[in-house]
Amino acid sequence: MFKFAPALLAPLVLAACQVGTMQSGTPRMDQAGTCFLYVQEEAGGTYSVVSGVGDGTPQPKAMVKRGLSGAQADAVWAKERKIMDINPECLAIVATDRSEARPAPKS
């Protein structure tokens, strides 16, 4: 029975190494497994909330909710942030709220 113990522990050790790698240093949106969430300030006093999961590319795909009031943006941000805490896909999290809103890119 003990002959199989190392084979059973190997996936756990590998997973721990991967999670440890994600946690060392500051997580970035372009890292696979990093969930990201941020707010952008649009023209006219509205906001966009951008969220997604990094896939290892420089610009991972994201979901964008546009045209939100400040209160709506805060509510969407809070809901998405809670989901990230329980999402097994999120090996690391990068999240900034409306107080750190960036200007939305001009289209």
Side-chain angles (χ1 to χ4, degrees), residues 58-103:
Q59 294 185 341
K61 293 183 179 181
M63 181 176 63
V64 181
K65 295 182 180 176
R66 299 184 194 288
L68 304 171
S69 68
Q72 289 171 322
D74 292 345
V76 168
W77 189 93
K79 179 180 177 184
E80 293 293 326
R81 184 64 183 87
K82 284 181 183 179
I83 291 169
M84 287 180 176
D85 285 336
I86 60 171
N87 185 347
E89 230 180 336
C90 296
L91 301 177
I93 297 173
V94 175
T96 56
D97 61 16
R98 190 165 53 104
S99 69
E100 300 176 71
R102 330 168 178 185

Side-chain angles (χ1 to χ4, degrees), residues 30-55:
D30 62 347
Q31 291 175 315
T34 298
C35 291
F36 58 90
L37 174 65
Y38 61 92
V39 178
Q40 292 181 323
E41 188 172 3
E42 298 177 350
T46 60
Y47 297 90
S48 295
V49 176
V50 181
S51 63
V53 180
D55 58 7

